[in-house]
Amino acid sequence: MITVQHLQLQSRQLLKGDDAALEIDTLLAHVLGKNRTFLRTWPEHELTDVQFDHFHQLLQQRLEGKPLAYILEVRDFWRLSLQVNSKVLIPRPDTECMVEAVLKLGDGHQWRVADLGTGSGAIALSLAIEHPEWEITATDLSAESLAIAQLNAAKHQLTNVTFVQGSWFEPLTGKFHCLVSNPPYIAADDPHLSDLQHEPQHALVAADNGLADLTHLVFLSNDFLHENGWLVLEHGFEQGEAVRSLLTQAGFQQVTTEYDYGGNPRYSYGQKPC
Ligand code: GLN
């Protein structure tokens, strides 16, 4: 029999990285069916053989590079616990900053919003939980992604989101007060991609140095926006200037780039003129 504390020490010899201790505790808490407070309170708690084997199986996957969110098939985003798997991008805290911006822009309004390329549903569902009165549409090209997004809507009993399958604007009907998207924006030759090999490449990589989908979204959004409607787009930390220039060329006003929690330019938006 091995105690929590002993296993923590043993595992920290194996798993390296800034978040190793937190990740080990998260796996351990999962295996025990407890929260992390339990681990701190009961370091001398003993694992059963079955729990020990289960923990090692999960730790092994982490040692092989699989992200924790895919091992546990869950990731917290905004105030939602979202189901995820390798068919969808793992929602990032950076994207929460963009959610916050949409909420600020839409404050006091009865909005119709579309989240284009919703993946796990992170953006659409965060807006939905904050504004049950908003009418939200979530699109994705992948039926597998939409199935997960729908599962997440059901998990949180969010009924004000409609899910439609298709590429970007293709499945939309009518006009919106806000279009928001976290599209693929990484260049195919970006060395950073080697760290993201477990995630769906179609959700990460875009042609034209990462700008192909962003460009498509900027130039085709006009027909789907009401006058004074907003287009809000996540992008790479070095793409702020390029995206602002696209938005300006397409006739958007109030063009602004804002920063993520890490202090990097992360999303830009503009308003369709009257
Ligand atoms: N922000 C993610 C990353 O760089 C990429 C997300 C995306 O391409 N939309 O890890």
Side-chain angles (χ1 to χ4, degrees), residues 28 39 41 103-104 109 135 183 185 205 211 230 236 256 271:
L28 203 43
L39 306 178
T41 317
L103 292 172
K104 215 186 267 176
H109 299 290
E135 196 188 309
Y185 53 70
V205 183
L211 288 170
W230 296 91
T256 310
Q271 188 174 30

Side-chain angles (χ1 to χ4, degrees), residues 89 92 94 182-186 192 196 203-204 234 266:
L89 201 72
R92 314 286 207 265
D94 292 342
N182 174 17
Y185 53 70
I186 301 179
H192 170 64
L196 306 174
L204 291 166
E234 182 169 323
R266 182 57 63 195

Side-chain angles (χ1 to χ4, degrees), residues 94-139:
D94 292 342
T95 307
E96 293 176 341
C97 298
M98 187 166 67
V99 167
E100 220 168 323
V102 173
L103 292 172
K104 215 186 267 176
L105 292 170
D107 189 31
H109 299 290
Q110 167 58 50
W111 262 10
R112 187 164 188 253
V113 183
D115 171 17
L116 307 174
T118 197
S120 63
I123 299 172
L125 299 176
S126 302
L127 298 175
I129 196 168
E130 298 306 330
H131 282 288
E133 78 287 6
W134 282 10
E135 196 188 309
I136 296 164
T137 301
T139 80

Side-chain angles (χ1 to χ4, degrees), residues 2-13:
I2 185 166
T3 64
V4 161
Q5 189 172 32
H6 193 169
L7 197 54
Q8 283 170 323
L9 291 172
Q10 225 178 51
S11 308
R12 284 175 202 163
Q13 300 298 314

Side-chain angles (χ1 to χ4, degrees), residues 5-103:
Q5 189 172 32
H6 193 169
L7 197 54
Q8 283 170 323
L9 291 172
Q10 225 178 51
S11 308
R12 284 175 202 163
Q13 300 298 314
L14 299 170
L15 189 65
K16 300 292 166 199
D18 295 344
D19 295 331
L22 175 64
E23 293 192 338
I24 288 162
D25 283 3
T26 305
L27 290 177
L28 203 43
H30 171 79
V31 162
L32 293 170
K34 306 282 185 193
N35 57 29
R36 285 189 289 117
T37 310
F38 177 90
L39 306 178
R40 273 192 296 277
T41 317
W42 305 105
E44 71 283 14
H45 178 82
E46 289 180 342
L47 280 83
T48 64
D49 290 345
V50 172
Q51 288 169 335
F52 179 77
D53 288 347
H54 186 197
F55 174 79
H56 265 287
Q57 203 186 321
L58 300 183
L59 183 65
Q60 189 52 38
Q61 292 182 44
R62 186 67 198 100
L63 290 169
E64 285 163 11
K66 190 167 177 179
L68 198 69
Y70 287 155
I71 298 173
L72 300 177
E73 298 194 323
V74 69
R75 169 52 57 101
D76 288 346
F77 181 88
W78 198 249
R79 55 192 178 97
L80 304 167
S81 160
L82 297 175
Q83 197 85 16
V84 294
N85 67 21
S86 60
K87 304 292 177 201
V88 295
L89 201 72
I90 300 168
R92 314 286 207 265
D94 292 342
T95 307
E96 293 176 341
C97 298
M98 187 166 67
V99 167
E100 220 168 323
V102 173
L103 292 172

Side-chain angles (χ1 to χ4, degrees), residues 153-198:
K155 181 175 176 186
H156 293 282
Q157 294 163 346
L158 297 169
T159 53
N160 56 330
V161 186
T162 308
F163 297 90
V164 282
Q165 190 186 352
S167 172
W168 304 128
F169 305 96
E170 209 176 76
L172 297 184
T173 48
K175 292 193 190 269
F176 295 83
H177 302 96
C178 181
L179 298 170
V180 57
S181 181
N182 174 17
Y185 53 70
I186 301 179
D189 60 357
D190 190 323
H192 170 64
L193 271 177
S194 59
D195 299 333
L196 306 174
Q197 51 189 304
H198 289 264

